[in-house]
């Protein structure tokens, strides 16, 4: 590992092999830790300027929970818990979502984009975004110029973190925590 290569934690692919587990790590103002968003708001979230997440979709949610050995909620409860965290956070928040998630997550408005070639939406909360974006990467590039510290509580292997100056990242999977620490924080 090392060197910020493009890796993406997907339910459509096998989990990376040879990953160790890690509970948490901090370095240079960045934090990564194991956390299940179904447990509610964590006060460390207050230190971020915005939320950007690409949460699990219905078909991948249960696979991610199984990989992590953690299961706290059904998919709709997971979406409700994400929404509750965004409401409590009460700062600009951006959630990549499929059409099946829009009603439950209830964003202020949506922007159409593509995620890995597939059509989807960015749900926007507490922010006015002007512009057109083709992909999630275009969108992240844009918002990374507007905010200093991002909160990603569905960080996976940290693919989104490279766009931001600093971050608070967490995931239910301790292997993802290890991967982020190794790839983005020089953990040895």
């Amino acid at each position: 590992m090392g060197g910020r290569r493009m890796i993406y934690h997907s339910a459509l692919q096998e989990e990376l092999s040879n990953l160790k587990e890690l509970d948490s790590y901090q370095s240079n103002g960045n934090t990564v830790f194991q956390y299940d968003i179904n447990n509610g708001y964590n006060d460390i979230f207050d230190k971020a300027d915005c939320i950007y997440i690409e949460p699990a979709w219905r078909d991948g949610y249960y696979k991610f929970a199984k990989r992590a050995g953690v299961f706290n909620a059904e998919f709709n409860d997971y979406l409700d818990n994400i929404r509750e965290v965004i409401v409590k956070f009460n700062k600009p928040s951006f959630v990549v979502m499929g059409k099946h998630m829009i009603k439950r997550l209830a964003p202020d408005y949506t922007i159409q984009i593509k995620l890995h070639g597939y059509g989807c939406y960015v749900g926007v909360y507490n922010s006015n975004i002007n512009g057109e974006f083709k992909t999630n990467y275009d969108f992240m590039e844009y918002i990374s110029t507007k905010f200093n510290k991002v909160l990603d509580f569905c960080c996976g292997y940290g693919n989104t973190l490279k766009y931001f100056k600093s971050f608070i990242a967490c995931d239910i999977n301790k292997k993802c925590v290890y991967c982020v620490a190794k790839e983005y924080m020089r953990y040895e």
Side-chain angles (χ1 to χ4, degrees):
M1 286 197 188
R4 292 187 178 205
R5 61 194 163 106
M6 180 70 125
I7 52 174
Y8 189 71
H9 193 221
S10 170
L12 303 175
Q13 300 170 359
E14 292 300 315
E15 189 170 43
L16 289 180
S17 60
N18 300 323
L19 290 179
K20 298 175 185 174
E21 291 187 352
L22 184 65
D23 290 321
S24 65
Y25 187 68
Q26 293 184 355
S27 176
N28 295 324
N30 296 317
T31 302
V32 63
F33 61 105
Q34 188 276 336
Y35 191 74
D36 183 350
I37 201 62
N38 291 309
N39 291 329
Y41 196 83
N42 186 310
D43 289 339
I44 194 171
F45 296 169
D46 290 337
K47 295 178 181 177
D49 300 325
C50 74
I51 291 173
Y52 176 87
I53 58 170
E54 296 176 3
W57 291 24
R58 184 182 303 123
D59 295 340
Y61 175 72
Y62 298 101
K63 189 170 188 176
F64 286 131
K66 184 176 180 183
R67 281 182 188 171
V70 175
F71 182 75
N72 271 350
E74 294 295 332
F75 181 71
N76 282 339
D77 296 327
Y78 167 70
L79 295 180
D80 292 344
N81 292 329
I82 289 172
R83 174 82 172 128
E84 285 179 26
V85 167
I86 289 169
V87 167
K88 182 159 184 171
F89 185 70
N90 198 29
K91 296 178 193 174
S93 300
F94 312 97
V95 180
V96 175
M97 61 182 74
K99 191 173 186 176
H100 68 285
M101 301 160 78
I102 293 174
K103 185 176 180 182
R104 195 116 198 159
L105 288 172
D108 298 337
Y109 62 97
T110 61
I111 299 170
Q112 282 190 288
I113 61 163
K114 290 197 182 259
L115 176 69
H116 308 295
Y118 298 97
C120 65
Y121 302 87
V122 174
V124 179
Y125 307 79
N126 304 313
S127 185
N128 292 314
I129 298 294
N130 295 315
E132 292 186 23
F133 309 94
K134 291 183 180 182
T135 69
N136 59 317
Y137 300 114
D138 297 335
F139 187 80
M140 281 187 285
E141 234 173 79
Y142 174 79
I143 64 169
S144 71
T145 66
K146 307 293 181 199
F147 303 99
N148 290 318
K149 182 170 269 198
V150 68
L151 165 60
D152 183 348
F153 52 77
C154 306
C155 72
Y157 296 148
N159 185 47
T160 63
L161 302 175
K162 66 180 167 273
Y163 288 87
F164 298 94
K165 294 172 191 80
S166 64
F167 59 82
I168 298 169
C170 55
D171 198 278
I172 60 169
N173 192 328
K174 291 181 182 185
K175 290 179 181 177
C176 292
V177 172
Y178 172 80
C179 187
V180 168
K182 189 90 171 148
E183 287 287 324
Y184 297 96
M185 303 168 75
R186 298 184 177 168
Y187 176 79
E188 295 300 324

